[in-house]
Amino acid sequence: MIRIEVIIPLALEGLFSYALPEQLIGAMPDFGAGCRVVVPFGGKRYYTGVVFSIDREAEATICKEVEQILDATPILPAATLRQWEWMAYYYACPMGSILRDALPSGLLPESKTMLSLVENFVAKEALSEGEMYLLDTLGEKGTMTAEQLERLVGRRLTRPLLRLIELGAICTEEALQPRYRPKLARYLRLAPEYQTNEEALSSLVEGLARAPRQAELLMTFLHELESTGQDYSGALHRTALLEAVPKGDASLRALIEKGVLQQVLEPVSRLKQMQGEGSELPSIADVAPLTHPVTLYYGRTAEDKEAYVLGQIAATLERGGQVLYLTPSVHSVPSATGFMQRLAEVAGANYYPYHTLIGEAVRVETFLRLAQLETPALVVGTRSAIYVPLSRLSLVIIDEEQEYLYKQQLVAPRYHARDVALWRAHQAGAKVLLATLTPSAEVLFHALRGKYQLLRPEESSSLSSPAPQFVLPSIEAIDLKRLRQIREVEWGHTLTTYLIDEIRSTIARGKKVLLLQNRRGYAPYVMCDACQTRLLCPHCDVSLTYHRTRAALLCHYCGYATALPEACPTCGATEVMTKVGQKPALRQVGYGIERVEEELKERLPAYEVLRIDSDTFSSQKKRMELLEQIESGSAEILLGTQLIRNQPIWEGIGLIAVVQLDAVLGVPDFRSEERAYQLLYQLRLRSRAPEKDCPRYLIQTNSTEQTFIQSLRSGDYDAFISDVLAEREATNFPPFTRLTHLWLRGKDERLLASASLVLSQYLKGLLPQERVTSPQIPSVARLEGYYLRQIVIRRPFQQSYREERAAFASALQQLRLSLPESKRLQIYFDVDPL
């Protein structure tokens, strides 16, 4: 018996055993681990899984059989399966979750329940009007899925469908639904009897003497085959032939009808249009090869960092290696001279982008091509690119390694792409380059203690622009609190008169203005002045954010959306009496980026304002429109959240202003100051210029004397991080301690409380008690309708994680045995949380 262990793309622990029929594997000698198979799971469902191991001499046992083999040879190398196995162990999550996250969904087709009418069905009891309508719709449209039927009817149909199935009016069948289809193109081939028989071909041409246009088309077809280096058995794209013979459609149809030419559909790659040699390669700096397994390039300017990265990529590709370049976000808009464009030019035909904006079908083809690729390649992508198979991986680059976007936080596996890259590179014998202008405290800590090599270019050794004569803009703080007290800032406004005057002055000099407001929406929350309650999300314990552009209240956690009500949902008030008369009871509190945009247009109507945030990046169409606006240079005022940092907007900037520093620092997290400093310091670094052209840097804040501003003004990032590390060591936080957050979610709050208490006690019995906290109620105690509890586990950074992982598994097992109801709870680990 041949038995295989399969990873199923579901959040279930362990592997699943299946018997492999001899008739399926007979003609596939290379079948093995890394191939995809379709297997039955549960009652009637079918899933596409990946073979983890195969035993060709297994003892006969009762196993379900594999339904279908999708790959005759592995599409995943053994190294990739080892990576998944390590991730599942380190991040304490099922391998099925990793499979679901790692492969493009087009490679994981699943079955769907198909509904169809039962012939000759006779109802034994009365059917409702809605049930009759469903039967009529199925009779007219034919077999379809429940989702398709619901879209057609416009409402949920769970109950009526279940009743019709029970009555025998509708039958169900599971059918595999492919999510990816290859792109097909129409090609033309010469009929087989003419491909090698020259006499028959000559007779054919002579016989077309009375049809000169058909003869011309045939001769052109033969000539085009020869010009492309093919013999008469080759194929020619239909469009290429018709371009060579305009208005040849009728002649072509005639030749096809006569059986002279055959039209066939053949798959074509979607990648060809994305790859091309650059006409003129950018100048590449000569850089010394990396000598240490992990190197931190702590750059002084963005230009120097980019030049160094390009140099390492070019050298690696020249040596025949493969490079994986990770960037934190695809929201960076590449301009004609942007860094992404330069990457594509350096790699030429070996350039492979891999992120969500390139489309699912292209991701599938990119993944499959890279799985077989043995030649040099440059893969550029976001954190999900850490999964792409590369057999000759030589260099991994993590650009802007400090960015939190490298950490997947919402769904399992909750991995950090930087840490996975370090493990993968170590296994492959590849080098890792961490490149940044503002290294994270964790990475700089490891570099300072010698675990990573530290490269810090001197000012005099600039690789690109003449940076030594450039200076950083000086920082000026504006006391927003004092100006509000003396009523210089009007109610409902957040831009001071001083800042408005500076904006006018800057634009009058022909310069642009950059404003940072790191908060989405129009108002962070809406409050009723009659009963003093906030409008909350019904599913989460958080305030709803008002988005004026969408005319809706949104929950930034679960996505819930609703219209702004006229009356308070709690007390019903519509108006309240104030010193200046009647006002609406519902007041929009706080200043999101949309509100700042509105204020700018109100107070500076003559100037064009361009807003850059996640809402303006929400689709490919909006992204391209934004690109056109940026490149046109028509907007005098650029207003954005932190996404603005990586945009090509730095030419001609005369003023940078932080609208509300308190909105940047206001995140309740021990890393909030570090992240804020990195953001604001990088804005300062990217705007450095000769002294006479150096922009002004203004910060509006409610506390001008805080040490954060003093530290930012000094521009000494080393001193700032030194203080951060000293504070972290004193308080036992990363990088001196590794954290794991254990989360429990459930609808039953009483069960949640008891299960979390029991689980924490088991963990305290397996690990040193001081390393495990008692269950805590987080600041957001309910999300998406689920109550939450949190247990924090600490581990000294020099200790192995293996003891901890064993304790996690044992404690969960004991919980399931002692409290079986805990199976109703969702329990997951967030290792190294951000």
Side-chain angles (χ1 to χ4, degrees):
M1 171 184 175
I2 302 176
R3 187 174 63 208
I4 59 175
E5 299 293 319
V6 180
I7 310 170
I8 304 292
L10 297 172
L12 299 173
E13 293 292 342
L15 304 171
F16 298 87
S17 299
Y18 288 89
L20 188 60
E22 291 283 355
Q23 62 269 24
L24 284 182
I25 198 175
M28 300 180 183
D30 296 326
F31 176 85
C35 291
R36 292 175 302 146
V37 291
V38 177
V39 294
F41 192 84
K44 298 181 179 179
R45 295 298 303 272
Y46 291 88
Y47 289 93
T48 297
V50 169
V51 178
F52 185 78
S53 63
I54 181 169
D55 186 353
R56 298 179 184 272
E57 299 180 357
E59 295 182 3
T61 54
I62 299 175
C63 293
K64 290 184 178 181
E65 291 190 347
V66 172
E67 183 73 17
Q68 184 181 351
I69 294 176
L70 298 182
D71 305 308
T73 58
I75 66 168
L76 296 171
T80 297
L81 296 179
R82 287 196 301 270
Q83 176 185 332
W84 293 2
E85 190 175 23
W86 174 81
M87 289 179 66
Y89 182 72
Y90 183 78
Y91 290 104
C93 67
M95 285 189 70
S97 298
I98 297 174
L99 168 59
R100 175 73 71 182
D101 193 57
L103 262 60
S105 60
L107 292 176
L108 297 172
E110 299 175 3
S111 68
K112 287 193 175 181
T113 304
M114 307 301 294
L115 306 175
S116 57
L117 283 180
V118 175
E119 294 184 7
N120 304 320
F121 167 74
V122 178
K124 296 181 180 179
E125 52 186 89
L127 299 179
S128 68
E129 184 179 342
E131 291 167 345
M132 290 295 296
Y133 177 69
L134 291 182
L135 295 179
D136 291 340
T137 303
L138 276 176
E140 179 185 348
K141 301 293 184 180
T143 302
M144 63 177 64
T145 66
E147 292 82 0
Q148 291 171 331
L149 186 59
E150 287 177 343
R151 283 197 297 268
L152 201 62
V153 175
R155 61 186 176 86
R156 295 282 293 176
L157 301 173
T158 304
R159 288 186 178 179
L161 283 177
L162 287 175
R163 183 166 186 267
L164 289 172
I165 292 171
E166 289 175 0
L167 293 175
I170 294 177
C171 64
T172 63
E173 182 181 2
E174 291 294 313
L176 200 66
Q177 299 291 310
R179 298 177 179 177
Y180 163 76
R181 300 182 190 279
K183 182 180 180 181
L184 300 176
R186 289 184 291 177
Y187 281 84
L188 298 169
R189 291 183 182 276
L190 200 59
E193 58 265 30
Y194 302 118
Q195 291 180 5
T196 56
N197 191 333
E198 294 187 5
E199 291 184 5
L201 185 59
S202 298
S203 300
L204 172 64
V205 175
E206 292 175 3
L208 293 175
R210 295 183 179 180
R213 292 193 175 181
Q214 295 178 31
E216 178 191 2
L217 185 70
L218 178 60
M219 295 306 296
T220 302
F221 173 79
L222 298 174
H223 175 72
E224 291 292 326
L225 282 180
E226 293 176 354
S227 66
T228 56
Q230 303 182 77
D231 57 24
Y232 289 162
S233 63
L236 188 69
H237 200 290
R238 186 176 188 275
T239 303
L241 179 60
L242 292 179
E243 286 178 352
V245 185
K247 300 181 180 180
D249 299 67
S251 301
L252 177 59
R253 286 195 297 271
L255 290 175
I256 293 174
E257 290 172 1
K258 291 177 179 179
V260 176
L261 294 179
Q262 296 177 340
Q263 185 168 270
V264 294
L265 292 175
E266 294 189 359
V268 294
S269 174
R270 294 177 172 90
L271 306 185
K272 293 178 181 177
Q273 59 187 351
M274 301 172 57
Q275 301 174 1
E277 296 285 352
S279 56
E280 185 176 341
L281 292 179
S283 58
I284 305 296
D286 291 329
V287 295
L290 300 174
T291 57
H292 199 276
V294 183
T295 300
L296 169 62
Y297 184 85
Y298 183 176
R300 295 184 179 275
T301 68
E303 294 79 13
D304 279 355
K305 184 196 71 171
E306 291 172 359
Y308 185 81
V309 167
L310 283 173
Q312 291 293 349
I313 290 173
T316 304
L317 294 176
E318 188 176 348
R319 292 193 297 267
Q322 295 173 338
V323 182
L324 176 59
Y325 172 89
L326 297 185
T327 181
S329 172
V330 293
H331 285 322
S332 299
V333 179
S335 63
T337 58
F339 181 61
M340 292 296 172
Q341 182 68 25
R342 296 177 70 195
L343 284 174
E345 291 171 353
V346 167
N350 301 318
Y351 179 73
Y352 295 90
Y354 191 84
H355 48 71
T356 54
L357 292 183
I358 63 173
E360 181 63 18
V362 177
R363 280 165 57 89
V364 168
E365 293 190 15
T366 302
F367 193 96
L368 294 176
R369 176 172 292 189
L370 292 173
Q372 307 298 328
L373 199 65
E374 295 289 338
T375 56
L378 169 62
V379 178
V380 175
T382 50
R383 65 172 179 252
S384 61
I386 196 62
Y387 293 116
V388 296
L390 291 169
S391 61
R392 297 176 59 186
L393 181 64
S394 301
L395 175 63
V396 180
I397 300 173
I398 315 291
D399 198 7
E400 297 299 321
E401 61 78 21
Q402 81 285 349
E403 284 289 346
Y404 71 93
L405 292 172
Y406 283 122
K407 169 73 173 178
Q408 181 158 288
Q409 304 188 67
L410 298 180
V411 296
R414 293 170 174 82
Y415 69 97
H416 198 300
R418 180 189 63 210
D419 296 336
V420 177
L422 292 171
W423 186 92
R424 180 178 178 181
H426 175 73
Q427 296 295 310
K431 298 289 192 295
V432 177
L433 175 61
L434 307 171
T436 179
L437 304 179
T438 52
S440 62
E442 288 87 346
V443 165
L444 191 56
F445 168 73
H446 291 308
L448 293 175
R449 71 187 187 96
K451 184 177 180 180
Y452 305 156
Q453 184 184 26
L454 177 61
L455 290 182
R456 299 200 61 182
E458 299 295 331
E459 290 280 359
S460 58
S461 62
S462 176
L463 294 170
S464 52
S465 60
Q469 63 186 19
F470 284 27
V471 298
L472 293 173
S474 58
I475 293 178
E476 180 181 347
I478 301 174
D479 193 339
L480 196 57
K481 182 178 180 180
R482 185 184 67 84
L483 293 176
R484 287 192 187 281
Q485 288 174 343
I486 63 176
R487 298 187 179 180
E488 189 173 316
V489 179
E490 298 179 20
W491 182 88
H493 288 177
T494 190
L495 300 176
T496 61
T497 304
Y498 181 75
L499 178 55
I500 292 293
D501 292 340
E502 287 298 323
I503 292 174
R504 289 196 181 99
S505 173
T506 302
I507 297 175
R509 299 196 314 268
K511 298 287 186 177
K512 295 180 181 178
V513 175
L514 171 61
L515 300 180
L516 175 73
Q517 176 66 352
N518 203 33
R519 181 168 280 170
R520 289 174 56 203
Y522 184 86
Y525 63 93
V526 176
M527 172 180 279
C528 174
D529 283 336
C531 63
Q532 303 301 309
T533 59
R534 296 186 182 189
L535 271 59
L536 301 176
C537 173
H539 311 298
C540 311
D541 288 344
V542 295
S543 300
L544 293 170
T545 300
Y546 180 54
H547 287 247
R548 177 161 287 188
T549 55
R550 295 177 57 177
L553 292 166
L554 300 181
C555 175
H556 289 173
Y557 284 82
C558 71
Y560 171 81
T562 185
L564 180 67
E566 295 183 2
C568 173
T570 303
C571 69
T574 57
E575 291 184 332
V576 292
M577 177 62 71
T578 68
K579 295 179 179 179
V580 294
Q582 293 279 359
K583 282 194 173 183
L586 294 177
R587 176 166 54 94
Q588 295 146 18
V589 182
Y591 303 91
I593 192 170
E594 292 178 8
R595 192 166 191 169
V596 177
E597 180 186 25
E598 180 183 79
E599 185 177 345
L600 284 168
K601 291 179 177 179
E602 174 189 323
R603 302 179 66 179
L604 301 168
Y607 304 132
E608 182 179 347
V609 179
L610 180 61
R611 176 164 58 90
I612 302 174
D613 61 5
S614 56
D615 293 324
T616 58
F617 274 125
S618 59
S619 67
Q620 178 73 353
K621 180 180 178 182
K622 288 184 177 181
R623 181 173 175 267
M624 296 312 297
E625 290 174 353
L626 189 65
L627 169 62
E628 293 174 1
Q629 287 180 280
I630 290 176
E631 291 190 336
S632 69
S634 59
E636 294 95 346
I637 302 175
L638 303 167
L639 170 65
T641 59
Q642 61 182 349
L643 291 177
I644 206 169
R645 171 179 47 186
N646 294 321
Q647 312 312 320
I649 44 87
W650 298 99
E651 187 176 349
I653 296 292
L655 173 65
I656 299 173
V658 179
V659 176
Q660 280 186 311
L661 176 63
D662 310 277
V664 182
L665 288 171
V667 181
D669 183 78
F670 71 91
R671 289 188 177 93
S672 61
E673 281 204 1
E674 179 188 355
R675 290 177 180 170
Y677 196 103
Q678 289 164 347
L679 171 62
L680 301 182
Y681 184 61
Q682 285 215 14
L683 291 181
R684 196 179 181 197
L685 284 176
R686 292 174 187 273
S687 59
R688 57 188 289 165
E691 189 169 357
K692 62 178 181 178
D693 294 323
C694 196
R696 301 194 64 191
Y697 198 136
L698 306 181
I699 296 179
Q700 293 191 153
T701 176
N702 290 322
S703 177
T704 57
E705 300 302 321
Q706 57 184 302
T707 56
F708 178 85
I709 294 179
Q710 307 305 323
S711 179
L712 187 64
R713 184 179 281 134
S714 71
D716 191 343
Y717 187 74
D718 291 344
F720 171 77
I721 287 294
S722 294
D723 292 342
V724 167
L725 288 173
E727 182 180 349
R728 301 267 184 91
E729 185 176 21
T731 54
N732 204 25
F733 273 101
F736 301 93
T737 297
R738 305 299 287 263
L739 297 180
T740 296
H741 289 173
L742 173 52
W743 290 95
L744 297 92
R745 285 169 37 118
K747 299 279 189 178
D748 186 336
E749 192 172 12
R750 300 180 75 178
L751 173 63
L752 182 68
S754 60
S756 59
L757 183 60
V758 170
L759 185 56
S760 69
Q761 292 300 322
Y762 283 141
L763 285 169
K764 288 178 180 180
L766 295 166
L767 296 169
Q769 288 199 19
E770 66 275 8
R771 286 166 50 182
V772 182
T773 68
S774 297
Q776 305 169 359
I777 300 177
S779 57
V780 180
R782 189 172 60 102
L783 283 179
E784 300 175 329
Y786 289 87
Y787 295 100
L788 301 176
R789 290 295 186 275
Q790 181 191 52
I791 301 171
V792 180
I793 302 103
R794 300 172 183 268
R795 172 175 58 85
F797 76 91
Q798 66 268 42
Q799 288 189 8
S800 171
Y801 57 84
R802 300 187 183 280
E803 176 195 5
E804 203 175 62
R805 298 304 178 273
F808 292 168
S810 178
L812 283 178
Q813 185 178 18
Q814 292 180 58
L815 175 67
R816 300 301 190 204
L817 292 173
S818 63
L819 195 64
E821 313 93 90
S822 63
K823 292 180 180 179
R824 293 172 17 216
L825 302 176
Q826 299 175 19
I827 303 175
Y828 61 89
F829 297 87
D830 187 1
V831 179
D832 302 328
L834 290 183

